[in-house]
Amino acid sequence: MNKHCKHYLDSFKLTKDHLYTFLTDLIVFSLILLSFSWLSATLQRKSAEVLQGKSAEEIQTLLASSNPEQLLPFLTQLKSFLIWSIVIAVALIIGYFLLFSLSQAVIWYHLLKKKLTHKIYWRWNLLDLFLIVPVLVFGFFYLIIRLLSALLINLVFSLVPKFNLLHPVFMQNVRLFYNGTVNFFCTVIILVILLLICHQFALKYKVWEAVGKGFSLLKQKWKSLGRLILFSTATGLILMLITLPIKKALLYSPLALNLVNLVVVIAFLAWLRIYLFKTLAEEQK
């Protein structure tokens, strides 16, 4: 345990790898968010041009009272707008997917000191496409765990009804902290599993083998990985508490608040990835 504690403390020693992975993720997610913001603003502007400020009721009245010849220009313009919106949205989603796959490949091959080739990069797209299935499965179990945890906390609160009535604010804060801890713990477990799979894929280039090996490693090295998950959860919760005053100060500045959230999440992800990478390296010695 002392050895793992030392390894955990050493994970906070910032290196060039931390900076490289952090900047890579920051650039990619910033581009995704900026393009999404551009698309949202463009759709709002073009929809206002097409609808000319009409409400839903006014459009319904227009469709009911106008003849086909009068409606033709409006419907043509509306059809063009819808087709343009769908094409742009699909193109951006594909672009997001390809860019995200590229960023993950670049990061893992940087950590492993390996060369990324065009052929290997396309296999990362296949891996990320396949990982949609386990993510959906994890999401299902996550919802079940949230439901069970909510039932548990409600049961505990029902045992002390008088205290609950006398101290409602305190009990509400306890509930929020408990739910936040459970949610973040589940999130860390999912992230660790996905990172294990990505690590194994970077070594073997085989999707099925990487998925199987990732789950196998979690089972074989549960003692060390379990501690990693607990330490990572505690680190994330402490990080949220530290940044809470900043978030409260930026409550009425959504752009700045989103920027802070983005930086904090990416910093934690970069730290967790390298922490896991070094833990696996230590286990193999």
Side-chain angles (χ1 to χ4, degrees):
M1 183 65 179
N2 291 333
K3 179 181 178 181
H4 195 89
C5 286
K6 183 180 181 303
H7 180 57
Y8 167 70
L9 295 175
D10 289 341
S11 69
F12 293 101
K13 295 178 181 178
L14 298 182
T15 63
K16 292 181 179 179
D17 288 339
H18 287 90
L19 182 61
Y20 184 91
T21 57
F22 171 77
L23 290 178
T24 301
D25 276 336
L26 182 62
I27 291 171
V28 169
F29 283 105
S30 295
L31 288 174
I32 291 175
L33 290 176
L34 286 173
S35 61
F36 182 80
S37 298
W38 168 82
L39 177 61
S40 178
T42 303
L43 288 177
Q44 290 181 2
R45 178 174 55 82
K46 285 187 172 292
S47 64
E49 292 176 357
V50 172
L51 300 178
Q52 298 177 354
K54 294 183 178 66
S55 64
E57 292 77 11
E58 290 174 332
I59 293 176
Q60 188 175 10
T61 303
L62 176 66
L63 293 175
S65 60
S66 302
N67 57 51
E69 290 77 11
Q70 293 174 322
L71 287 175
L72 185 59
F74 172 75
L75 294 177
T76 302
Q77 191 176 13
L78 181 61
K79 179 182 177 181
S80 300
F81 168 70
L82 291 175
I83 293 175
W84 180 88
S85 301
I86 293 172
V87 170
I88 294 297
V90 170
L92 283 179
I93 291 173
I94 295 174
Y96 295 160
F97 181 80
L98 296 176
L99 185 60
F100 176 77
S101 297
L102 177 62
S103 68
Q104 300 313 297
V106 167
I107 287 173
W108 280 107
Y109 284 106
H110 171 80
L111 294 177
L112 291 168
K113 311 300 181 186
K114 300 175 71 173
K115 183 179 179 181
L116 176 63
T117 64
H118 182 271
K119 182 179 180 180
I120 294 174
Y121 159 66
W122 284 109
R123 292 184 183 180
W124 278 88
N125 293 307
L126 181 62
L127 174 69
D128 288 338
L129 190 63
F130 177 82
L131 287 180
I132 294 175
V133 176
V135 167
L136 292 176
V137 174
F138 294 152
F140 174 74
F141 284 107
Y142 170 72
L143 292 176
I144 294 177
I145 292 173
R146 283 200 62 179
L147 177 61
L148 294 176
S149 66
L151 293 175
L152 177 62
I153 194 68
N154 289 335
L155 176 62
V156 172
F157 279 16
S158 67
L159 299 177
V160 286
K162 186 175 181 180
F163 187 85
N164 195 16
L165 290 173
L166 292 174
H167 307 279
V169 176
F170 174 77
M171 298 301 281
Q172 182 64 22
N173 289 334
V174 170
R175 184 190 296 273
L176 290 174
F177 180 78
Y178 171 79
N179 289 334
T181 301
V182 172
N183 293 341
F184 195 75
F185 179 72
C186 293
T187 301
V188 171
I189 292 177
I190 294 172
L191 285 175
V192 168
I193 293 174
L194 294 177
L195 290 173
L196 283 172
I197 293 173
C198 289
H199 175 263
Q200 291 303 307
F201 182 77
L203 293 173
K204 303 293 181 64
Y205 316 131
K206 296 180 180 179
V207 175
W208 287 105
E209 186 174 338
V211 173
K213 186 64 175 178
F215 283 100
S216 177
L217 276 175
L218 185 66
K219 181 180 179 181
Q220 293 173 6
K221 304 183 183 299
W222 174 248
K223 188 176 181 179
S224 60
L225 292 178
R227 291 170 181 169
L228 179 145
I229 290 170
L230 290 176
F231 285 154
S232 299
T233 302
T235 301
L237 293 174
I238 293 172
L239 185 61
M240 285 192 287
L241 290 174
I242 292 174
T243 57
L244 189 59
I246 301 175
K247 293 179 180 179
K248 286 184 176 180
L250 299 175
L251 192 59
Y252 299 102
S253 303
L255 180 61
L257 180 60
N258 290 334
L259 181 61
V260 170
N261 287 332
L262 178 65
V263 170
V264 170
V265 169
I266 291 177
F268 177 79
L269 180 60
W271 170 80
L272 176 61
R273 185 190 289 112
I274 294 179
Y275 180 25
L276 176 65
F277 177 74
K278 291 185 177 180
T279 298
L280 292 175
E282 285 293 326
E283 290 290 323
Q284 293 173 355
K285 289 183 179 179

